[in-house]
Amino acid sequence: MNFYCENQVPWPKGKPFTQDRKSGQFRANGRSISVGAAADRVRAAVSAFTKPGKNWRTTELWIYVDGAKVGARGEFLYNQPASVPPQVVVSFDLDGEGYTIAVDKLDDAGQNLAAIAQYIESLRATERYGVFTVRELLQTFAALPASGGFPRPVSPFDGLRTRKEVNDLWRDLSRSAHPDTGGSNEAMALLNLQRDEALERVK
């Protein structure tokens, strides 16, 4: 898989910028996660789509952070200035289809990249359980209406039918969402909420 870092963000036309951003809680080495460390998480999450010894499911991954500095190896430097805008875009192909995820919900570019990595990890976990393929989930996410209110986001628990399936998936996802293992309080709280909603649906 080829990996590219670019310092100009191709923000999707028609997608409004978030006006009321929140603070992120993603951390690395005891500190708020840097752009470089968060980009590494995105690359690891996308790379993990491919099982060891198999042909790459993704051939190219592009990560865009506006004004970020790129090092000699073509990767984002870890110590980026605080003035880096929060908008980030991640583009990759998966099984021959192209996908783009643009995020500016949190007030820091590193936090937004880490959130994308967490999202991709949840998609992989859902695919492992055979409920949906990642392609189906990404296409469903992209097809959500842009107007007429805010639809409920796609949950990794969608489609599960038993309490055991929900709890098994929650245990799997909590390994990366928990703040003690590289996640955040925010990611864990969202995961718990999604689990509780799913448990209500399967009763």
Side-chain angles (χ1 to χ4, degrees), residues 25-31 41 118 173-189 191-192:
Q25 302 298 320
F26 293 99
R27 301 180 71 79
N29 300 319
R31 300 178 180 176
R41 286 191 188 179
Q118 185 75 43
L173 293 177
S174 65
R175 293 189 185 104
S176 57
H178 198 279
D180 291 344
T181 55
S184 67
N185 292 328
E186 187 176 73
M188 197 66 207
L191 182 63
N192 288 339

Side-chain angles (χ1 to χ4, degrees), residues 36-153:
D40 288 346
R41 286 191 188 179
V42 173
R43 178 166 53 174
V46 173
S47 295
F49 282 131
T50 304
K51 294 181 179 179
K54 301 293 183 179
N55 291 330
W56 280 102
R57 295 180 65 186
T58 298
T59 59
E60 290 190 358
L61 167 63
W62 293 77
I63 299 179
Y64 303 88
V65 179
D66 197 13
K69 295 180 180 178
V70 181
R73 293 189 302 162
E75 300 176 8
F76 288 126
L77 299 179
Y78 274 65
N79 297 318
Q80 296 286 343
S83 59
V84 172
Q87 296 88 2
V88 299
V89 171
V90 171
S91 294
F92 59 94
D93 61 288
L94 182 66
D95 301 330
E97 293 269 345
Y99 300 99
T100 296
I101 303 172
V103 175
D104 71 335
K105 301 288 186 186
L106 304 176
D107 58 9
D108 177 86
Q111 295 292 323
N112 285 316
L113 282 180
I116 291 175
Q118 185 75 43
Y119 172 67
I120 292 171
E121 182 62 31
S122 72
L123 295 181
R124 287 199 316 104
T126 303
E127 185 177 60
R128 285 198 301 272
Y129 279 86
V131 180
F132 293 107
T133 65
V134 172
R135 179 178 179 178
E136 289 170 331
L137 285 166
L138 285 167
Q139 288 176 338
T140 300
F141 185 77
L144 290 173
S147 59
F150 295 93
R152 182 179 66 81

Side-chain angles (χ1 to χ4, degrees), residues 145-162:
S147 59
F150 295 93
R152 182 179 66 81
V154 175
S155 164
F157 300 97
D158 286 349
L160 298 181
R161 295 182 178 169
T162 69

